[in-house]
Amino acid sequence: MKFNTKTIHGGQEHDKAYGAVMTPIYQTTTYAQTTPGGHKGYEYSRTHNPTRNALENGLASIENGKYGLAFGSGLAAIDAIMKLFKPGDEIISTSDLYGGSYRLFTKVYEDFGIKFHFVGMENVANIENYINSNTKLIWVETPTNPMMNIVDIEAVATIAKTHSVLLAVDNTFATPYLQRPLDLGADIIMHSATKYLGGHSDVVMGALIVNNDDLAKKLYFIQNASGAICGPMDSFLVLRGIKTLHIRMQRHCENGRAIAEYLANHPKIEKVYWPGFENHPNHEIAKKQMGDFGGMISFIPKGSNYDDAIKIVEKLQLFTLAESLGGVESLAGHPASMTHASIPKTEREKSGVVDSLIRLSIGIEDAEDLIDDLAQAIG
Ligand SMILES: Cc1ncc(COP(=O)(O)O)c(C=O)c1O
């Protein structure tokens, strides 16, 4: 089955009870047993729920994985990965990453004795300097949020395998429409399904996809033991969202290109971060590992400071000033005061998240309307 077909049919079967074509919302907690343990595969919905299972099978299918696991948020999914480790273990992460992931690593798991190294991975050779016998995981976000840096997943996977270290990739920005990290050698794919997979800004959810039986067993144990699952209604919404992922992503990419090019040619814009530009430092890697370049763009207005950036995002009419990304509607954000405020200023500026940086999540509206809105806000 090819990708577009998988988004609709992958891992799905018609409902066993009445043949419903779309998996129903099993808003159910518990399941009748004829004798203790005598059930039809479902006992209690923290452990298994038919709607969540349909989603998990779909997630596995579109990422070319064997196992999918859905959680109550992207951070709950990352939290489940962290619970694989113990005090003394070390994790190497991209230095430019979602602020909430950074906060979970440094404010929660460092207190449990896990050590994190934040490393610029545009040059993968940097990673080797931090690997030692305690290293257990390499955490990669690519494209990175919000600087749109690209990390060569295949090259990092080679390093991870050489040192018997796990590789996890946050595939939220790219989605499996653009890149499939398990195929490139990663062990775990993580998603904030809140974003493109759900696609309609109406659900918060996280997901993990793996191939390895043993790793899947451990993660399913943590999912059930810690209980950070998502509900049936949310599972239904993301399952529905995935069915149009390919056509939404195609438009996100087309609009992303049009707006990135518009901004790059605008006399009042100093810098545009988008991996589709030939002069992007990792454009060749983006071309190699991604099918297209996505709808996330960051930019810096010329000679601007914190207040100038705020003025622009406040003036936007069609773009909504809001946290999050990946929905059908275009959003604008100011990372320094919003998504990345939990990263200390000195740390975030080291990776380029300066006060004047603006991040756009390009939706699937008409690109001309979005450009008109940017034109009036930039002035
Ligand atoms: C790249 C990335 N990873 C993880 C997360 C966390 O996901 P959630 O908000 O669903 O917990 C986000 C949220 O913005 C994100 O952008």
Side-chain angles (χ1 to χ4, degrees):
M1 231 190 264
K2 291 202 169 127
F3 182 78
N4 297 346
T5 311
K6 277 187 179 178
T7 64
I8 296 159
H9 299 289
Q12 304 306 303
E13 50 186 34
H14 297 158
D15 179 52
K16 288 203 180 80
Y18 298 108
V21 170
M22 177 66 184
T23 302
I25 304 163
Y26 278 90
Q27 194 68 49
T28 47
T29 307
T30 192
Y31 305 82
Q33 307 191 15
T34 48
T35 183
H39 54 73
K40 297 177 177 167
Y42 295 93
E43 273 173 286
Y44 185 61
S45 279
R46 173 166 28 75
T47 318
H48 296 294
N49 170 279
T51 318
R52 196 178 82 226
N53 276 18
L55 169 67
E56 293 178 330
N57 292 338
L59 287 165
S61 167
I62 57 174
E63 284 285 14
N64 291 344
K66 250 167 107 177
Y67 304 99
L69 301 94
F71 294 83
S73 70
L75 280 172
I78 304 175
D79 187 77
I81 299 175
M82 291 302 116
K83 286 176 176 147
L84 293 168
F85 307 113
K86 56 180 193 325
D89 287 347
E90 298 191 14
I91 293 173
I92 303 171
S93 163
T94 33
S95 54
D96 163 24
L97 78 167
Y98 171 58
S101 309
Y102 179 86
R103 181 178 55 201
L104 179 69
F105 294 164
T106 57
K107 297 277 176 9
V108 178
Y109 280 97
E110 270 185 4
D111 283 352
F112 284 105
I114 296 176
K115 189 167 175 186
F116 292 86
H117 303 277
F118 295 95
V119 177
M121 294 189 189
E122 299 77 63
N123 178 2
V124 293
N126 292 342
I127 299 172
E128 303 250 23
N129 300 334
Y130 294 87
I131 294 188
N132 61 47
S133 57
N134 294 326
T135 311
K136 294 289 153 41
L137 175 77
I138 302 174
W139 180 264
V140 167
E141 206 180 284
T142 182
T144 62
N145 179 1
M147 298 312 298
M148 308 307 299
N149 286 315
I150 301 293
V151 179
D152 186 338
I153 298 172
E154 217 167 8
V156 181
T158 304
I159 295 173
K161 287 207 168 41
T162 309
H163 297 275
S164 303
V165 169
L166 289 172
L167 169 61
V169 176
D170 182 336
N171 206 27
T172 300
F173 268 38
T175 83
Y177 176 81
L178 296 177
Q179 108 193 334
R180 289 185 279 278
L182 291 180
D183 292 352
L184 300 171
D187 301 290
I188 306 175
I189 293 174
M190 176 265 151
H191 276 280
S192 169
T194 316
K195 310 299 185 314
Y196 289 105
L197 298 187
H200 296 75
S201 306
D202 53 10
V203 59
V204 174
M205 189 189 285
L208 300 179
I209 299 100
V210 298
N211 262 330
N212 179 280
D213 299 347
D214 199 39
L215 189 54
K217 217 164 148 187
K218 287 182 184 154
L219 289 167
Y220 279 122
F221 178 84
I222 292 168
Q223 184 194 39
N224 183 48
S226 293
I229 47 133
C230 52
M233 177 72 191
D234 289 353
S235 301
F236 172 85
L237 286 173
V238 174
L239 189 54
R240 184 166 72 161
I242 287 174
K243 289 175 194 286
T244 55
L245 178 68
H246 52 302
I247 48 178
R248 285 186 286 109
M249 286 306 293
Q250 189 182 345
R251 179 63 76 85
H252 284 297
C253 292
E254 285 165 14
N255 283 358
R257 174 178 295 280
I259 286 161
E261 285 172 357
Y262 166 76
L263 290 170
N265 290 316
H266 196 295
K268 290 191 179 170
I269 300 302
E270 183 178 314
K271 180 101 187 110
V272 184
Y273 300 92
W274 181 66
F277 290 133
E278 273 177 24
N279 64 359
H280 181 287
N282 292 109
H283 177 68
E284 287 308 315
I285 296 163
K287 249 171 51 183
K288 181 182 76 161
Q289 71 188 18
M290 297 171 75
D292 204 335
F293 304 106
M296 294 301 299
I297 300 168
S298 295
F299 70 98
I300 298 177
K302 230 173 225 166
S304 60
N305 58 25
Y306 186 99
D307 292 336
D308 301 324
I310 299 283
K311 267 188 211 132
I312 291 177
V313 294
E314 282 178 353
K315 268 198 198 160
L316 288 164
Q317 300 286 318
L318 196 53
F319 280 84
T320 305
L321 174 60
E323 304 267 349
S324 203
L325 60 106
V328 290
E329 60 290 291
S330 293
L331 302 180
H334 179 243
S337 64
M338 296 169 71
T339 44
H340 291 67
S342 53
I343 305 181
K345 188 173 159 75
T346 46
E347 278 305 307
R348 82 177 137 69
E349 288 195 339
K350 265 191 229 161
S351 42
V353 188
V354 293
D355 284 350
S356 52
L357 187 81
I358 294 171
R359 190 190 76 180
L360 300 176
S361 168
I362 307 300
I364 62 170
E365 303 95 333
D366 285 307
E368 293 80 2
D369 290 332
L370 298 173
I371 288 172
D372 285 349
D373 193 28
L374 286 165
Q376 66 76 23
I378 295 164

